[in-house]
Amino acid sequence: MIPLTTWSDGMPANTLHRPIAPTAIPIAVMGDSNSHSYQDSISFPPGSADRGGALRPNTFQWTEVLARLRGKELDSGPWVRWGRPGVVARGRELLGLNGARAPKKEDYLYNFANSGATCNNLMESRMRQAPRLVELMDQEPERWKRGVVVIRMGLNNWSGLLDLQAHDPKAPGVRAVIDYCAGEIQRTIALIHATHPTTRVLVVGIANETDDPEQFDRYQSASATVNLRIALDDFNAALRQLTVGDPRLAYFDDLAWFERLWGSRTADGKPIYKTVAIGPTLRVTNTAGDDPHNALVGDHHAGLVWNALWAQSLVARLREAFGLPLTPISDDEIRRFVEPLVSNPPKAPGS
């Protein structure tokens, strides 16, 4: 066993203090699988069915889209294989040493999101995304004076309570999750601003889990539909409230974003989703499958088009909320980015 004191985090030399354009805006991410890069070959080994399966080389998560379309304006850091196992990172911290990102993954330097993460993983547990990200930020304080941190967390706490929400949206168990997640995100914001008072923070709400095709045959009643919406609105209202009255903070309404594009169920819970058009030929439905004509990939995470459109809206929100000098991503740019990936799928090994 490698001693904790000498266990390397694998960060390549000269990773920090890189020269970047003076107008480039550092962007960091905390969250769950919604923000964990799909091209991470440590977490998603080649040949596995995750995140697009055989089509994964052409299936990008929203941070990966941003790096390709606005990488000169929004700096996510270099792509690195970096980090330590969670128990090792925590053990080192208990010894007064740095923990680094945990667990180890292949991702952009400033992306601390991990698949399966919950609100507990922001400040506590073996992941401790916020303290470890801030520790990294502390090494380059000048860079982060103009930076942005995106917090997109809470869905994994929320999605396991759908039955309870459908029955009683004001149940103590539902309220407890709302209060807990809002409290942990508030603690995270305070930790960031303790040493980086000018860094902007964008808090992302959660969408309706019953819009996942996996849930289509459930909650098909008027009462369940109303109750689920009450509960979800309460959760998102608590996150939105965290950002009120502080120009350094803003909220991204993920629910409204999805409904604007794909719509929602009827008042009695029947799926009636719209189709999203990309250019003259590509049509994307709210279905699951690794083919990019589906909004979701086969493992029910956001697909290529979903993530490209989400990145487009994120840039718009950062411009609107913080006045950042970012070039909008046009619909035609989305088309030109997506179409070659759809028309030229990866070849099977040996073909």
Side-chain angles (χ1 to χ4, degrees):
M1 175 64 71
I2 303 173
L4 294 180
T5 54
T6 59
W7 195 305
S8 172
D9 62 8
M11 182 181 286
N14 303 318
T15 298
L16 299 177
H17 308 289
R18 297 165 295 113
I20 61 172
T23 56
I25 298 164
I27 182 168
V29 182
M30 286 180 274
D32 52 30
S33 57
N34 285 315
S35 304
H36 184 158
S37 291
Y38 293 176
Q39 305 304 315
D40 173 7
S41 63
I42 297 175
S43 303
F44 315 118
S48 69
D50 298 323
R51 308 304 190 271
L55 299 181
R56 189 189 310 145
N58 284 19
T59 308
F60 298 112
Q61 187 267 342
W62 66 267
T63 59
E64 296 171 312
V65 176
L66 275 186
R68 285 158 175 78
L69 297 185
R70 290 296 177 272
K72 293 182 179 180
E73 298 182 7
L74 286 166
D75 174 34
S76 300
W79 184 261
V80 291
R81 296 172 65 91
W82 173 56
R84 296 185 177 96
V87 65
V88 173
R90 192 70 189 111
R92 285 177 56 88
E93 288 169 339
L94 293 174
L95 294 174
L97 305 172
N98 77 303
R101 187 165 65 190
K104 184 176 183 177
K105 63 171 181 166
E106 186 177 27
D107 208 328
Y108 299 105
L109 177 66
Y110 305 135
N111 189 342
F112 277 64
N114 286 109
S115 296
T118 66
C119 294
N120 178 60
N121 300 132
L122 285 171
M123 295 291 292
E124 310 295 340
S125 81
R126 294 177 180 178
M127 290 184 188
R128 301 185 74 239
Q129 292 182 17
R132 291 169 182 162
L133 171 61
V134 170
E135 182 179 57
L136 181 67
M137 294 166 63
D138 287 346
Q139 297 183 57
E140 299 183 287
E142 286 298 314
R143 187 187 301 269
W144 288 97
K145 285 182 178 179
R146 62 182 186 277
V148 176
V149 177
V150 176
I151 303 174
R152 192 181 187 187
M153 187 75 88
L155 187 61
N156 288 330
N157 299 79
W158 193 247
S159 59
L161 297 176
L162 291 179
D163 288 346
L164 180 59
Q165 297 166 34
H167 175 70
D168 180 6
K170 300 295 183 179
V174 174
R175 189 69 240 179
V177 168
I178 294 172
D179 291 342
Y180 178 73
C181 281
E184 291 305 284
I185 292 173
Q186 186 174 43
R187 289 177 65 199
T188 296
I189 294 169
L191 181 68
I192 294 168
H193 283 159
T195 52
H196 303 276
T198 63
T199 297
R200 291 97 158 182
V201 179
L202 185 73
V203 177
V204 180
I206 61 174
N208 192 336
E209 187 69 3
T210 66
D211 290 326
D212 187 319
E214 199 169 43
Q215 305 287 347
F216 281 177
D217 61 347
R218 306 181 67 197
Y219 312 114
Q220 292 193 13
S221 70
S223 62
T225 301
V226 169
N227 287 342
L228 285 162
R229 188 55 177 253
I230 290 171
L232 183 57
D233 285 348
D234 284 350
F235 186 99
N236 283 329
L239 299 194
R240 187 192 299 269
Q241 184 60 37
L242 296 176
T243 67
V244 172
D246 190 330
R248 302 171 299 176
L249 308 177
Y251 177 77
F252 184 103
D253 192 335
D254 207 18
L255 176 61
W257 177 85
F258 177 88
E259 292 185 341
R260 176 176 61 83
L261 290 168
W262 278 282
S264 62
R265 300 191 186 201
T266 64
D268 58 354
K270 302 298 188 294
I272 53 162
Y273 296 95
K274 298 182 291 186
T275 297
V276 171
I278 303 294
T281 59
L282 178 58
R283 299 294 179 265
V284 183
T285 56
N286 186 28
T287 49
D290 292 336
D291 184 286
H293 293 82
N294 300 286
L296 303 174
V297 292
D299 65 6
H300 290 262
H301 290 82
L304 171 65
V305 171
W306 179 313
N307 280 317
L309 294 172
W310 207 88
Q312 177 189 47
S313 293
L314 180 72
V315 167
R317 184 64 181 132
L318 293 175
R319 283 170 50 87
E320 173 190 53
F322 301 129
L324 299 183
L326 302 173
T327 305
I329 300 175
S330 68
D331 291 344
D332 190 60
E333 190 174 2
I334 292 292
R335 178 192 62 76
R336 287 184 281 110
F337 174 70
V338 167
E339 283 184 343
L341 299 171
V342 175
S343 61
N344 295 293
K347 293 182 179 180
S351 61

